[in-house]
């Protein structure tokens, strides 16, 4: 199935992108979870992060659906 | 005395009298310095019958024992006063290098009262302190003033804190502009100086700061520097500053648009104001405050479009207020109005909120072009914006209404405009959609200076359970860091208010010292090595709690109670349009968090007033007695 991935800050750099926002679409297996996605993207488990699926906070075991918009953000806050 | 400069400067403008006193050790041990001592002096010297524009109001500049040292991010200083925007307590804080220069001249604090009979500025040149005539400087913008003073005084290394022309004309939210590009922006501190016939302060200092144990202090600062540079927040802030945070807000439904009627900017518009666009097309280089490894500011240049040629410093999250709240998605325009606000001495936050209120009132037909000097206040209409901004700058026509700030402007407009006036205790809120981060709403509600997120800044960067356990005990880490969890957040906000009161008292920047960037307990040994006064973390946090209680007592003495610890009605009653809490508001959760907050504070839940027990436990019996006498102490 096809999903949209949206990475932020240093998470972009893990994929070689020197940007603060990096958006792309990708194919992933039918029963994939957020955790499977992070593994596919080679994002290490021990890196602090927040996952949003279609704007809502989700845990890593969340089962992804066709067309989901998955945002992976560093836990950075405050202006 | 180590760490401290050792002297306080007291200036009475009525009598043009300048007195130097030793910085009092007994007060340092209770309030540390900076904004902490500022809160103490304001409570002591500005009783409730004084109004912000009374000559008897004080303007209190405070540095702090770590300000101007090799401690990272040590360029901050505070200005404490009774705000003309809110008529309650305020302090406003700036980076740059004015604070360190003041310490190098030999002064921890400057207390200014009275009203000069002639326009003056204060010239501090190490031991020489004088009031210079400023008649020839009236009406100049802060950039002209900065250059004129440096020429007049014959030294380009002078640091300046200056009032712009808008404060002189009557705008209540005039800021104090520091060396052209930094500001004590919040709550109209520049206007207080203008009301005192004081155009600003120029300072040149050539002394060093004595450190009690330089070798141990250097090691302590190296440890903190290493923590800052290895934190998960450093890559973003060191390259993008708070513009990078705006990207996070946008993605998580916390970037409000059109006076917060909706959350989240449409992507096709947001790409024009995202941080990557700034870096690619506007940023020239990073800029740092005094001794700051984070360098979150930037020099920019606008190369094309309506504002081509504009150069300046530091567009940040707050600079986006006029973009997202008013419907402008052009970084050239954002950079231009960043400069305009600095030149004229305008608080971007209060100005943005007040304009957004007027634009929504226009949208709803509460006002028409007949009220606005013929200017159609249409979202995203740049020609109209330029005209209405000029009205504020000149404090003329409808600008006379908008120049009074968002709360007063809403009262003037009427017809229910108060409902969408985004202010707390009379001061406009910073740019975040609090319905998608409820405990931020609590932080706004309880902030002693009104609608502001920086008094508490209840944010933990990264995820480090051992650190969280060390600071917050058995409270579950997931509960602490969750943006959506309500439980435990009252306690958390109270803790953060105390912690950041400590940072403002030390003279350090909150960016580099967020929980997770450093371990807060590393502050105590650094301070002890610098000053020779033994501080452990518990004692530091007690000082923070004492400072917070004095600020609270100042406002309680003015009659503020629990009813004032709230947020605008839209946030309490109208569901948010998007984001993780889509469809929800804060109507039920804010009272729950407030109850927990007051309990953590040891204050009365019903009235929100301080209790004798808490005040006396902090050594504030005299304040408890006064509040008791005047009916502002909790009865229980």
């Amino acid at each position: 199935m096809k999903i949209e991935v949206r990475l932020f800050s240093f998470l972009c750099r893990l994929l070689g992108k020197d940007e603060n926002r990096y958006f792309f679409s990708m194919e992933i297996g039918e029963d994939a979870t957020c955790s499977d996605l992070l593994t596919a993207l080679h994002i290490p488990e021990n890196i602090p992060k927040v996952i949003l699926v279609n704007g809502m906070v989700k845990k890593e075991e969340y089962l992804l659906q066709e067309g989901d918009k998955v945002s992976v953000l560093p836990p950075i806050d405050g202006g | 005395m180590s760490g401290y400069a050792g002297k306080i400067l007291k200036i009475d403008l009525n009598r043009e009298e300048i007195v130097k006193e030793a910085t009092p050790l007994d007060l340092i041990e209770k309030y540390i310095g900076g904004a902490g001592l500022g809160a103490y002096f304001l409570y002591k010297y500005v009783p409730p019958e004084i109004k912000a524009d009374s000559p008897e109001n004080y303007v209190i500049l405070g540095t702090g024992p770590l300000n101007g040292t090799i401690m990272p991010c040590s360029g901050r200083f505070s200005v404490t006063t009774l705000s003309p925007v809110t008529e309650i307590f305020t302090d406003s804080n700036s980076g740059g290098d004015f604070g360190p220069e003041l310490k190098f001249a030999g002064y921890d604090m400057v207390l200014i009262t009275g009203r000069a009979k002639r326009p003056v500025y204060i010239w501090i040149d190490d031991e020489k302190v004088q009031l210079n005539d400023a008649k020839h400087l009236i009406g100049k913008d802060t950039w002209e003033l900065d250059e004129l003073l440096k020429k007049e005084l014959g030294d380009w290394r002078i640091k300046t804190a200056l009032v712009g022309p808008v404060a002189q004309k009557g705008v209540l939210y005039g800021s104090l502009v520091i060396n052209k590009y930094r500001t004590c922006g919040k709550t109209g501190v520049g206007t207080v100086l203008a009301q005192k016939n004081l155009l600003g302060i120029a300072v040149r200092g050539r002394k060093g700061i004595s450190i009690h144990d330089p070798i141990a202090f250097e090691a302590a600062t190296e440890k903190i520097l290493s923590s800052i540079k290895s934190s998960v927040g450093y890559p973003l802030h060191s390259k993008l500053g708070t513009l990078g945070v705006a990207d996070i807000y946008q993605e998580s439904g916390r970037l409000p648009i059109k006076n917060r009627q909706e959350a989240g900017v449409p992507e096709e518009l947001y790409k024009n104001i995202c941080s990557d666009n700034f870096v690619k097309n506007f940023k020239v280089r990073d800029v740092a405050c005094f001794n700051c490894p984070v360098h979150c500011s930037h020099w920019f240049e606008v190369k094309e479009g309506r504002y081509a040629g504009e150069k300046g410093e530091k567009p940040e999250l707050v600079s986006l207020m006029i973009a997202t709240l008013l419907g402008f998605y052009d970084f050239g325009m954002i950079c231009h109005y960043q400069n305009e606000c600095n030149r004229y001495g305008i608080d971007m936050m209060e100005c943005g909120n007040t304009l957004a209120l007027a634009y929504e009132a226009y949208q709803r037909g509460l006002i028409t072009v007949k009220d606005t000097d013929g200017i159609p206040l249409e979202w995203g209409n740049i020609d109209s914006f330029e005209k209405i901004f000029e009205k504020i700058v000149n404090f003329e026509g409808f600008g006379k209404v908008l120049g009074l700030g968002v709360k007063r402007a809403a009262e003037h407009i009427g017809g229910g405009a108060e409902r969408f006036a985004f202010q707390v205790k009379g001061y406009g809120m910073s740019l975040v959609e609090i319905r998608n981060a409820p405990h931020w709403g609590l932080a706004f509600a309880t902030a002693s200076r009104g609608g502001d997120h920086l008094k508490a800044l209840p944010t933990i960067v990264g995820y480090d359970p051992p650190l969280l356990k060390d600071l917050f005990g058995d409270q579950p880490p997931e509960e602490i860091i969750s943006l959506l969890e309500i439980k435990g957040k009252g306690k958390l906000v109270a803790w953060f208010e105390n912690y950041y009161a400590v940072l403002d008292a030390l003279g350090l920047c909150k960016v580099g010292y967020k929980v997770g960037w450093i371990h807060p307990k590393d502050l105590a040994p650094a301070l002890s090595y610098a000053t020779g006064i033994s501080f452990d973390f518990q004692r530091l946090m007690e000082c923070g709690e004492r400072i917070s209680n004095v600020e609270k007592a100042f406002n309680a003495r003015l009659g503020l109670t629990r009813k004032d610890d709230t947020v605008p009605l839209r946030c309490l009653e109208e569901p948010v349009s998007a984001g993780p809490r889509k469809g929800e508001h804060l109507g039920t959760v804010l009272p729950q968090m407030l109850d927990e907050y007051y309990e953590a504070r040891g204050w009365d839940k019903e009235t929100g007033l301080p209790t004798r027990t808490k005040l006396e436990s902090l050594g504030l019996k005299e304040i408890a007695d006064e509040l008791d006498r005047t009916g502002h102490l909790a009865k229980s």
Side-chain angles (χ1 to χ4, degrees):
Chain A
M1 63 183 173
K2 197 171 184 181
I3 59 169
E4 184 187 343
V5 179
R6 301 160 73 92
L7 302 181
F8 291 81
S9 186
F10 62 84
L11 296 166
C12 304
R13 260 159 262 172
L14 293 176
L15 272 72
K17 297 291 175 184
D18 188 23
E19 295 170 352
N20 202 46
R21 308 191 315 154
Y22 176 41
F23 303 164
F24 58 95
S25 295
M26 67 177 279
E27 293 285 340
I28 196 163
E30 289 299 319
D31 296 325
T33 62
C34 289
S35 179
D36 295 329
L37 171 65
L38 297 176
T39 303
L41 296 175
H42 305 292
I43 295 176
E45 278 182 32
N46 61 350
I47 283 187
K49 53 197 155 305
V50 175
I51 301 169
L52 303 175
V53 179
N54 304 321
M56 309 303 277
V57 178
K58 298 293 179 192
K59 295 191 172 173
E60 290 192 17
E61 54 268 31
Y62 178 79
L63 199 61
L64 293 169
Q65 308 291 318
E66 170 78 25
D68 274 348
K69 187 173 79 173
V70 186
S71 311
V72 189
L73 305 105
I76 293 171
D77 214 335
Chain B
M1 182 180 278
S2 299
Y4 296 88
K7 284 197 292 288
I8 288 177
L9 199 54
K10 291 186 171 176
I11 299 175
D12 183 338
L13 295 170
N14 287 337
R15 292 184 284 178
E16 299 207 0
E17 182 180 84
I18 297 164
V19 175
K20 295 172 190 171
E21 294 180 358
T23 303
L25 187 60
D26 59 328
L27 293 181
I28 283 169
E29 292 186 339
K30 283 185 166 181
Y31 298 96
I32 303 171
L37 271 177
Y40 166 83
F41 284 124
L42 194 76
Y43 187 93
K44 181 177 180 182
Y45 291 136
V46 181
E49 61 272 20
I50 302 297
K51 298 295 177 196
D53 65 355
S54 306
E56 293 83 359
N57 191 10
Y58 269 70
V59 172
I60 302 165
L61 281 64
T63 58
L66 296 180
N67 186 263
T69 70
I70 61 167
M71 193 79 166
C73 318
S74 57
R76 287 267 163 186
F77 83 106
S78 294
V79 178
T80 307
T81 188
L82 178 64
S83 162
V85 180
T86 63
E87 293 289 343
I88 64 169
F89 170 89
T90 194
D91 54 25
S92 190
N93 186 290
S94 174
D97 45 17
F98 182 89
E101 194 77 12
L102 191 58
K103 272 188 84 176
F104 299 155
Y107 308 100
D108 294 306
M109 313 280 297
V110 181
L111 278 64
I112 305 162
T113 190
R115 180 182 293 146
K117 293 181 183 66
R118 58 187 176 120
V120 295
Y121 69 90
I122 298 170
W123 167 222
I124 301 170
D125 185 15
D126 285 328
E127 288 304 311
K128 184 177 78 180
V129 182
Q130 60 193 44
L131 298 174
N132 285 359
D133 192 83
K135 196 174 173 185
H136 59 299
L137 303 174
I138 291 285
K140 305 284 185 194
D141 74 46
T142 65
W143 292 10
E144 292 171 317
L145 268 180
D146 180 83
E147 287 169 17
L148 282 167
L149 285 183
K150 283 171 178 163
K151 194 173 174 186
E152 181 169 306
L153 298 168
D155 188 344
W156 64 270
R157 289 163 296 189
I158 286 165
K159 307 298 185 291
T160 59
L162 300 169
V163 173
V166 302
Q168 295 164 32
K169 288 174 182 167
V171 171
L172 291 183
Y173 45 86
S175 59
L176 188 64
V177 179
I178 313 302
N179 302 328
K180 292 186 175 180
Y181 303 115
R182 307 298 160 92
T183 64
C184 292
K186 288 183 170 50
T187 62
V189 298
T191 295
V192 183
L193 266 79
Q195 288 166 342
K196 294 186 173 302
N197 229 353
L198 177 61
L199 260 66
I201 301 140
V203 61
R204 181 78 175 95
R206 300 168 187 81
K207 298 170 190 166
I209 296 169
S210 167
I211 296 297
H212 174 73
D213 184 341
I215 293 172
F217 181 59
E218 185 179 4
T221 62
E222 285 292 337
K223 183 180 180 189
I224 287 172
L225 178 62
S226 173
S227 294
I228 288 172
K229 295 189 85 164
S230 59
S231 78
V232 296
Y234 183 80
L236 180 146
H237 274 272
S238 64
K239 184 180 175 187
L240 308 166
T242 53
L243 284 178
V245 177
D247 293 340
I248 308 288
Y249 279 12
Q250 159 72 0
E251 193 66 6
S252 54
R254 285 183 284 160
L255 205 55
I257 64 172
K258 290 188 175 178
N259 196 34
R260 307 172 208 248
Q261 294 182 80
E262 296 169 39
V265 181
E267 176 59 28
E268 67 271 20
L269 296 173
Y270 187 74
K271 67 183 181 190
N272 296 323
I273 60 167
C274 72
S275 63
D276 288 329
N277 184 36
F278 176 76
V279 170
K280 280 177 193 155
N281 297 311
F282 297 87
K283 178 175 163 178
V284 176
R285 63 176 186 275
D286 295 323
V287 181
C289 293
F290 178 87
N291 197 27
C292 181
V294 183
H295 47 73
C296 71
S297 186
H298 327 281
W299 187 258
F300 65 75
E301 186 174 340
V302 181
K303 298 184 186 75
E304 56 187 31
R306 191 177 184 114
Y307 302 105
E310 192 81 45
K311 296 175 184 177
E313 195 187 319
K314 207 175 173 53
E316 52 185 337
L317 179 56
V318 64
S319 317
L320 300 184
M321 287 195 79
I322 54 172
T324 73
L325 290 187
L326 302 175
F328 299 105
Y329 298 99
D330 172 0
F331 243 124
M333 186 260 198
I334 293 164
C335 289
H336 173 72
Y337 279 97
Q338 171 86 40
N339 277 353
E340 292 287 279
C341 287
N342 287 341
R343 272 182 179 276
Y344 295 118
I346 295 175
D347 173 6
M348 289 190 90
M349 203 172 300
E350 188 67 9
C351 185
N353 275 304
T354 310
L355 282 167
L357 164 94
Y359 275 58
E360 185 171 347
Y362 187 87
Q363 172 198 312
R364 294 182 183 281
L366 297 180
I367 53 174
T368 69
V369 288
K370 289 178 185 168
D371 304 292
T372 62
D373 308 318
I375 302 168
L377 301 184
E378 297 157 342
W379 307 107
N381 180 335
I382 188 64
D383 293 328
S384 296
F385 179 82
E386 287 184 344
K387 287 175 186 161
I388 198 68
F389 186 82
E390 197 176 336
K391 292 284 177 189
I392 294 175
V393 168
N394 293 323
F395 200 53
E396 63 182 14
F398 195 53
K400 275 197 165 180
V401 175
L402 301 181
L404 302 179
V406 62
K407 184 174 183 229
R408 288 180 172 90
E411 289 165 358
H412 176 92
I413 291 168
E418 292 90 341
R419 183 179 188 82
F420 51 85
F422 279 85
Q423 55 84 24
V424 176
K425 300 184 178 78
Y427 184 62
M429 295 168 67
S430 42
L431 190 65
V432 60
E433 175 48 74
I434 56 176
R435 286 170 288 185
N436 276 324
H439 69 294
W440 276 61
L442 175 66
F444 277 94
T446 61
S448 60
R449 63 182 174 190
D452 163 63
H453 65 295
L454 288 170
K455 275 289 181 183
L457 194 57
T459 176
I460 292 162
V461 176
Y463 180 63
D464 184 350
L467 180 148
L468 297 177
K469 185 171 179 57
D470 196 20
L471 292 176
F472 304 110
D474 293 331
Q475 193 172 358
E478 285 73 18
E479 182 181 295
I480 296 168
I481 63 164
S482 168
L483 278 176
L484 306 179
E485 176 63 53
I486 303 302
K487 191 174 167 224
K489 291 299 166 52
K491 187 177 162 190
L492 196 73
V493 166
W495 187 93
F496 270 102
E497 285 177 342
N498 295 342
Y499 175 59
Y500 285 119
V502 170
L503 283 177
D504 283 343
L506 291 170
L508 300 177
C509 180
K510 290 168 185 173
V511 169
Y513 289 85
K514 285 178 185 164
V515 174
W517 280 60
I518 65 145
H519 193 315
K521 290 189 175 178
D522 288 339
L523 282 168
L527 179 61
S528 302
Y529 296 138
T531 62
I533 302 168
S534 178
F535 282 97
D536 59 23
F537 187 64
Q538 187 183 347
R539 185 176 172 193
L540 271 183
M541 290 297 279
E542 278 173 12
C543 289
E545 188 178 14
R546 186 175 296 110
I547 295 162
S548 296
N549 272 264
V550 171
E551 293 174 8
K552 174 75 176 179
F554 186 92
N555 286 341
R557 193 171 62 171
L558 288 165
L560 273 65
T561 63
R562 176 170 177 146
K563 71 173 172 26
D564 300 290
D565 290 345
T566 189
V567 295
L569 280 175
R570 173 166 291 158
C571 301
L572 292 173
E573 296 178 356
E574 296 177 25
V576 65
S577 68
R581 292 183 81 250
K582 182 179 177 181
E584 297 188 63
H585 52 62
L586 299 181
T588 52
V589 298
L590 182 66
Q592 291 171 29
M593 291 189 292
L594 270 174
D595 282 349
E596 193 190 87
Y597 170 84
Y598 293 133
E599 194 171 322
R601 279 262 173 240
W603 298 342
D604 179 49
K605 278 189 205 176
E606 191 181 333
T607 61
L609 291 173
T611 60
R612 178 172 288 281
T613 306
K614 173 51 68 180
L615 291 172
E616 289 194 354
S617 76
L618 295 166
L620 301 173
K621 182 177 182 302
E622 285 182 17
I623 288 179
D625 289 344
E626 188 193 6
L627 294 185
D628 202 2
R629 272 199 313 277
T630 55
H632 298 114
L633 190 70
K635 289 191 170 62
S636 52

